[in-house]
Amino acid sequence: MSSEFELIHRHFTRPTAHTDLAVGDDAALMRPRPGMQLAVSTDMLVAGTHFFADTDPHDLGWKTLAVNLSDLAAMGAEPRWAFLGLTLPGADEAWLAAFSAGLFACASHYGVDLAGGDTTRGPLTLSVTILGELPAGKAITRAGGHTGDDIWVSGQPGLAALGLAALQNRIDLGPTGREHCIRALQHPTPRVELGLALRGVASAMLDVSDGLLGDLGHILERSDCGAEIDIALLPLAELRATGADEAQARRALLAGGDDYELLFCAPAERRDTVLKIAHEQGIALHRIGRLTGPPRQLMLRETDGRLLSPMLSGYDHFA
């Protein structure tokens, strides 16, 4: 059986592009570029909680890094370095080869160096610490929203939640819809380029990982604002096309997690700029509501004009 260090050397040691000293020593050596600020985030994926133990390891390798890249995208940061903590029940060489191939495919696509990490034996757990750079003082935080700002979301939130429901046999989607939704769940696209383009445009931003309404609540708390979401503006058509009914599509979009789309606010006078970014990047950006005055009050405007408190919430690990 291979030792821990042989596994690291075989599966997780690759040439680096912008790291002075990476995998193989007690610590990595890195230098931020002049005038840049570091953005650092850590995410953990646990078998049975965040993914099924039999998930394709190549997809799992991609997703392990992608969900962390999404956190940097939400700050408008450029990804640079990643550190991988890997807890394994055993040394399965075929699984590790596929997992590392997926991880490095994502790293190569987004220009990330794997600069270090650790491995140990135990229940399958994947943890990444990601580091990125952005010009000092230019980070997009959750705290910059103002009353009257538009609320936007990228892509198609809700697909991943439908994919999870399909895998759990809680929903019956057509074959094409099922495949589309499961793909969204297992192979998310971190919106790194969009996050960079929104620097200086978005007033507040985060990524949708635990459900749109629940995550929007974090912006409302930090920005000390309320919000009104217009049901008529929600992008439900693609979700309905998978085979989901209206109620299933609405629940998936508003309360489903694992989308890793960007939810952001921007002044109303920047609408044309946001739409130009959407066109240039070929990404759908949907204006779904606006920030309002009453702090932390979140309301849904139904298609008949009624304002209602939402009955849905996002995911909470300890709820």
Side-chain angles (χ1 to χ4, degrees):
M1 181 179 294
S2 298
S3 71
E4 171 189 355
F5 304 105
E6 289 169 336
L7 291 175
I8 292 171
H9 178 74
R10 185 176 303 122
H11 297 291
F12 298 104
T13 303
R14 303 286 169 87
T16 56
H18 36 257
T19 308
D20 294 335
L21 181 63
V23 177
D25 218 304
D26 289 303
L29 300 177
M30 308 170 301
R31 281 180 289 181
R33 290 169 290 184
M36 302 296 273
Q37 190 172 24
L38 286 179
V40 185
S41 180
T42 298
D43 244 322
M44 186 179 297
L45 301 178
V46 179
T49 299
H50 301 97
F51 62 92
F52 296 106
D54 61 353
T55 298
D56 177 81
H58 190 282
D59 282 342
L60 189 57
W62 173 281
K63 184 172 182 176
T64 297
L65 185 56
V67 301
N68 286 268
L69 290 171
S70 183
D71 285 330
L72 291 188
M75 303 288 288
E78 179 185 354
R80 300 280 280 172
W81 302 280
F83 293 81
L84 174 67
L86 190 59
T87 304
L88 300 168
D92 184 332
E93 293 277 0
W95 189 95
L96 282 167
F99 174 85
S100 61
L103 182 86
F104 280 110
C106 189
S108 176
H109 184 83
Y110 292 100
V112 176
D113 284 352
L114 183 63
D118 193 20
T119 60
T120 190
R121 182 185 292 271
L124 183 56
T125 305
L126 316 165
S127 178
V128 169
T129 296
I130 191 88
L131 293 87
E133 293 178 323
L134 70 166
K138 298 298 183 181
I140 308 170
T141 71
R142 302 175 180 186
H146 297 91
T147 299
D149 284 358
D150 291 329
I151 301 171
W152 299 80
V153 68
S154 68
Q156 183 54 73
L159 288 174
L162 292 178
L164 177 60
L167 287 173
Q168 294 175 330
N169 297 313
R170 294 187 286 111
I171 191 172
D172 185 17
L173 304 175
T176 302
R178 176 185 172 90
E179 181 179 352
H180 182 46
C181 292
I182 291 175
R183 179 68 173 173
L185 172 69
Q186 296 183 339
H187 201 89
T189 300
R191 302 297 190 184
V192 173
E193 295 87 355
L194 176 60
L196 297 176
L198 287 171
R199 285 199 308 228
V201 177
S203 56
M205 186 159 66
L206 47 61
D207 68 330
V208 182
S209 56
D210 295 325
L212 190 151
L213 291 182
D215 286 328
L216 177 57
H218 300 313
I219 289 180
L220 303 187
E221 179 181 1
R222 296 296 303 276
S223 294
D224 199 30
C225 288
E228 182 181 303
I229 299 298
D230 192 335
I231 296 299
L233 297 178
L234 295 179
L236 295 172
E238 184 177 345
L239 302 180
R240 292 296 309 279
T242 67
D245 63 28
E246 182 77 18
Q248 291 167 335
R250 183 188 289 200
R251 175 177 288 275
L253 192 152
L254 293 176
D258 257 5
D259 291 307
Y260 304 102
E261 296 290 355
L262 295 184
L263 179 67
F264 64 95
C265 308
E269 58 267 25
R270 304 304 299 272
R271 284 181 192 173
D272 287 346
T273 302
V274 173
L275 293 175
K276 181 181 179 182
I277 291 170
H279 176 73
E280 290 174 346
Q281 299 214 351
I283 298 174
L285 297 179
H286 309 280
R287 183 171 58 87
I288 61 171
R290 64 188 181 91
L291 294 182
T292 59
R296 306 186 190 184
Q297 178 178 293
L298 175 57
M299 303 296 288
L300 302 181
R301 181 173 292 279
E302 292 289 344
T303 53
D304 61 7
R306 290 177 301 152
L307 277 175
L308 303 175
S309 296
M311 302 299 292
L312 303 169
S313 61
Y315 180 76
D316 186 332
H317 288 278
F318 297 101

